[in-house]
Amino acid sequence: MAVSNDKMPPSQDDEYVLTGPRCKRRRTSDSECFSWEILPVLSEEECQGVELLPAYAAPILCKKETSRLVKEVSAIYPLPGLQHLKRVRACKEEPRQHDVEILICLASPLQKEESALSLRELLPTVKAECSSLGEPFVVQVPARPPLTRPQFRESSAHWPTSFHENKLVTKALDGQLFSWEEKNRMQKYMDQAIQAAKCGAAIGMEAVGAVVVNSSTGAVIAVGHDCRQGCNPLLHASIVGIDLVSHAQGGGVYNYDIYPDCKFFLSPNNNECAEIDAVDSPAGTHPTAVGLPYICTGFDLYVTREPCTMCAMALLHSRIQRVFYGTPSPDGALGSKYRIHSRRDLNHHFDVFRGILEDQCQELGNECHQVS
Amino acid sequence: MQRSYPEQELHICVAMHFLSNNNFCHSPILALELKWLSCVLLDQAKEAMEQGEVPVGCLMVYREQIVGQGRNEVNETKNATRHAEMVAIDQVLDWCQRHSEKTTDVFEHTTLYVTVEPCIMCAAALRLLKIPLVIYGCRNDRFGGCGSVLNIATDYLPNTGTPFECIGGYRAEEAVEMLKTFYKQENPNAPKSKARKKD
């Protein structure tokens, strides 16, 4: 179902889609699952495996001495940059000879179990160590604080760490971030992108479609498809989407007269602003001064396949809020080859999710290859 | 790939590049020509600044002629992707149409001169078009796609055109100076920071 009625403001149209006559049937199938799963595309740091460092630990033989030992050992061997590591851990392994173990210090990376240093060598100044501490041994400890629950689980298997959980990330990883209604709406937007992709493919373009949505109102701002086989080889679907948004805001570069399936919608609100903008302000006036968002601020992009590096960076420059893509692509820059959306050294970050209607999106690619 | 050259050395280096690539139809670009090019180049950047755009200018040279030139047009078009390179690429496409030349042939033999290291987006675009050589002024520490943030120019991206060679440091001081002047007078079109949005 395409939200493409020009006469009706897109926001109303969208509401119609959500609460219209089809609603009843939908309600009865509330528990019905979607054929797809939405997954967050996390940052490099959040995805990587747990890196381990060798360290010395020793059993605490006399449990009462624990707090004194922690104080003394921490004073001798502070662990700068490793604040996530707990100093002591409870011993659960059976048979249990002692209750707790203490982390003493990092070992050299090449330290082998056989050549481990003795207690006297490690802690020559700690008093009564012989009675309260057992012989040190080498353990592997996590080098970085865990960022996600899977990382926390893996880290904890080696040595206990603190974990400041980002509840949203955990929910997203469990597939619990979005409600049924939200997913239903996402599916409609992605379906619109798929339809656009098919229209593009019908005129010889690569089968990729994109839909830009105002995330706060749900209004569709732009629908476009890949145009790279036309006069400009760089007109990928995301670039087209961005330019259509510019058109909706009174700017824009390319003419889409020959591509009737690439279109933008002016919401009543936007329209007003565009007029004020055109009357009052010469080029270069602050767009937000007249209530217009800065380019794609607050907008979501639904695109059938993962954007390439050029498109991903174009979306970053445009300050996109979220990107949802159907299927990954080989040199993709939002998860496959790079994770441009989550690089700390870039000045804007956005959330990326993949998987909406993945099978249908992937099929588009296959059909396209059959044609070419 | 990320190298900085004193001016004299750069001229030799560019000439060597042309000589070593037999598929290039150019004669080696002489120091004099390079000087002329860079004047046009810096004029582009100045024009951008006068229009309230980030001062970046670029030229695309094919068979010793300028087939495209561009400056930033982001604010004018309300489209954040309108960097100097993207504007110049569109001009080259127009030029090809006017001269009935195949765009792939032209881009594959075109050199890009740009005052600032191309950003990640532009670097990827240049790769997609298979532009073989980029000569730029100063580094782009915020967005640079030729080594500063990512290295799109040389990374292994088998589905993204071909890698290209980069020569940086050409008249870098002037390019930096212009950027400094521009950022001193705070970009009025940049989005307000989140902290300020609240009030």
Side-chain angles (χ1 to χ4, degrees), chain A residues 232-233 243 246 249 251-254 277 284-286 294-295 309-310 313-314 317 319 330-331 337-338 343 346-347, chain B residues 77-83 90 93 119-121 124 129 142-143 150 152 155-160 188-189 191:
Chain A
N232 188 333
D243 191 43
S246 308
Q249 297 180 357
V253 177
Y254 301 103
D277 203 30
T285 308
H286 201 321
Y294 180 79
I295 312 180
T309 307
M310 174 184 70
M313 196 61 193
H317 283 315
R319 310 289 204 275
D331 279 353
K337 175 69 194 182
Y338 305 113
R343 287 189 67 98
L346 292 173
N347 70 344
Chain B
T77 57
K78 300 185 180 182
N79 182 331
T81 68
R82 297 309 285 170
H83 288 187
D90 281 352
L93 291 167
C119 80
I120 292 166
M121 171 187 73
L129 296 171
R142 295 169 74 199
F143 303 121
L150 286 176
I152 305 301
D155 273 0
Y156 178 68
L157 295 163
N159 300 287
T160 311
N189 294 293

Side-chain angles (χ1 to χ4, degrees), chain B residues 119-171:
Chain B
C119 80
I120 292 166
M121 171 187 73
C122 292
L126 298 168
R127 254 190 96 124
L128 288 167
L129 296 171
K130 303 184 180 170
I131 285 177
L133 175 64
V134 172
I135 295 168
Y136 67 82
C138 62
R139 277 165 56 95
N140 180 347
D141 289 326
R142 295 169 74 199
F143 303 121
C146 305
S148 293
V149 177
L150 286 176
N151 201 336
I152 305 301
T154 58
D155 273 0
Y156 178 68
L157 295 163
N159 300 287
T160 311
T162 53
F164 57 86
E165 194 174 336
C166 279
I167 300 172
Y170 184 61
R171 299 193 71 161

